[in-house]
Amino acid sequence: MRDDKLLNYLHLHFIVFIWGFTAVLGALISIDSIPLVWWRMSIAVVLIFIYMKWKKIPFQLFGKGALSRKRILAFLLAGVVIALHWVTFFGAIKESNVSVTLAMLSMGSFFTALLEPIFTSKKFVWYELIFGVIIIGALYYIFQIETEYVTGMILGLISALLSAIFSIMNVKWAKENPPSLISFYELLSGVALLSLFFLFLPVEFVMPSQLSSMDWLLLGILASVCTAYAFIASVKVMKFLSAYTVMLTINLEPVYGIFLAYLILGDAEEMTPEFYIGAVVIVLVIITNGILKTRLAKK
């Protein structure tokens, strides 16, 4: 039993490591954020469709056990949110770099803590207000120092907010439906939304022939390993670990991502000491928030 728990713990770290690597892939892929996300989601939809057919997981559109229209619409709406989250995420990377984007994205769990009392029955916790003031101070400090990356920071914060909204929407559904089913409809919805962007907005679609062999390789890794596999595996692993362990491990994503970015991208990711001070303050506050929340919940 202990070995199983250890294996699941190591598996979770591997998944979080993969999520950190996602940002590096976004920086290496040469196309803009909207076509990048369209290709990511499209390939992932095909892969999850094949997986569901292989595992004989029903799509639950018709017959006994069919999803209600309300639930399908909810999945589709969540897909719109996750698509916009990824567009702003990769847009932030293109406008700044991986380190800046992940520092801003680490705000996602804190946004979740602030939004949950508004949209759910959860009560607001007093110490989260204090943590919020500290985080705002750290963000202001970073904004004052890294002025050339302001656009990327704003996009990163929007991405973190959308990530929080998405997690709140998904938390109940994950207990009631297979993760592959949820992700299939959500990703399909995202593809549909971004397809409309190409039709009605001045956004240029990237044809398959315009993608280099390296782009195809990186997109394949992004869609298969970092999207289809990581989503399904993370839900499975979370069934065997405590919320406390999961929370602490997931908060290591920006740490893994910034380390990988510096290792792979080199000087392009080198930031001022002041940036790292602000980023460390944000991550430490978010981890402390999770520790306090978990301990109080146990009591």
Side-chain angles (χ1 to χ4, degrees):
M1 184 69 180
R2 184 176 297 175
D3 289 341
D4 288 343
K5 189 172 182 179
L6 176 62
L7 286 173
N8 280 294
Y9 179 66
L10 293 174
H11 194 186
L12 178 62
H13 267 282
F14 178 64
I15 294 164
V16 174
F17 189 81
I18 288 171
W19 286 338
F21 187 56
T22 298
V24 178
L25 291 174
L28 292 173
I29 296 170
S30 64
I31 59 178
D32 291 335
S33 60
I34 294 178
L36 190 160
V37 176
W38 188 92
W39 278 107
R40 174 189 188 175
M41 298 183 89
S42 297
I43 297 171
V45 164
V46 173
L47 292 174
I48 293 174
F49 177 83
I50 294 171
Y51 173 81
M52 290 177 69
K53 284 291 187 181
W54 174 48
K55 290 289 186 179
K56 297 181 180 178
I57 299 171
F59 291 90
Q60 295 181 231
L61 281 176
F62 308 104
K64 187 179 180 180
L67 294 169
S68 66
R69 289 185 180 180
K70 184 178 179 181
R71 179 56 58 87
I72 292 175
L73 287 174
F75 287 165
L76 299 181
L77 178 60
V80 168
V81 174
I82 195 63
L84 295 176
H85 157 65
W86 280 337
V87 166
T88 50
F89 172 70
F90 289 115
I93 292 172
K94 303 293 183 181
E95 289 291 333
S96 54
N97 61 23
V98 172
S99 299
V100 169
T101 302
L102 288 176
M104 299 301 106
L105 195 69
S106 65
M107 287 284 293
S109 59
F110 191 76
F111 281 140
T112 303
L114 294 180
L115 290 174
E116 272 187 323
I118 299 174
F119 296 103
T120 69
S121 58
K122 181 198 165 192
K123 294 181 180 179
F124 187 77
V125 184
W126 63 268
Y127 59 76
E128 289 178 346
L129 182 61
I130 298 173
F131 288 157
V133 173
I134 297 173
I135 286 177
I136 290 170
L139 285 173
Y140 180 76
Y141 179 67
I142 293 174
F143 270 71
Q144 292 293 103
I145 300 299
E146 305 294 346
T147 53
E148 62 181 302
Y149 297 132
V150 169
T151 302
M153 291 179 191
I154 293 172
L155 285 172
L157 287 173
I158 294 171
S159 181
L161 177 61
L162 291 167
S163 163
I165 294 170
F166 175 75
S167 66
I168 292 170
M169 295 173 74
N170 245 17
V171 67
K172 184 180 178 182
W173 305 334
K175 298 175 183 178
E176 300 173 355
N177 303 103
S180 53
L181 178 75
I182 298 171
S183 57
F184 176 77
Y185 287 117
E186 289 176 346
L187 294 175
L188 189 63
S189 172
V191 172
L193 172 72
L194 297 180
S195 298
L196 293 176
F197 279 19
F198 297 123
L199 291 174
F200 299 107
L201 295 178
V203 179
E204 186 176 349
F205 180 70
V206 176
M207 300 296 291
S209 59
Q210 294 175 273
L211 293 167
S212 67
S213 55
M214 180 57 68
D215 284 335
W216 273 115
L217 173 63
L218 297 177
L219 278 169
I221 296 171
L222 181 63
S224 58
V225 179
C226 301
T227 307
Y229 160 75
F231 186 94
I232 295 170
S234 63
V235 174
K236 183 179 179 181
V237 165
M238 288 174 191
K239 293 178 180 178
F240 299 97
L241 300 173
S242 68
Y244 174 75
T245 301
V246 171
M247 178 279 305
L248 282 183
T249 309
I250 288 176
N251 280 333
L252 290 174
E253 180 186 348
V255 178
Y256 286 149
I258 291 172
F259 171 74
L260 284 169
Y262 187 78
L263 197 66
I264 297 171
L265 303 175
D267 294 340
E269 289 298 319
E270 191 170 347
M271 305 295 292
T272 62
E274 291 82 1
F275 166 80
Y276 292 112
I277 291 171
V280 166
V281 169
I282 292 171
V283 173
L284 286 177
V285 167
I286 289 168
I287 290 175
T288 304
N289 178 50
I291 292 172
L292 285 175
K293 190 181 301 180
T294 306
R295 287 185 176 177
L296 288 173
K298 285 182 179 179
K299 288 181 180 180

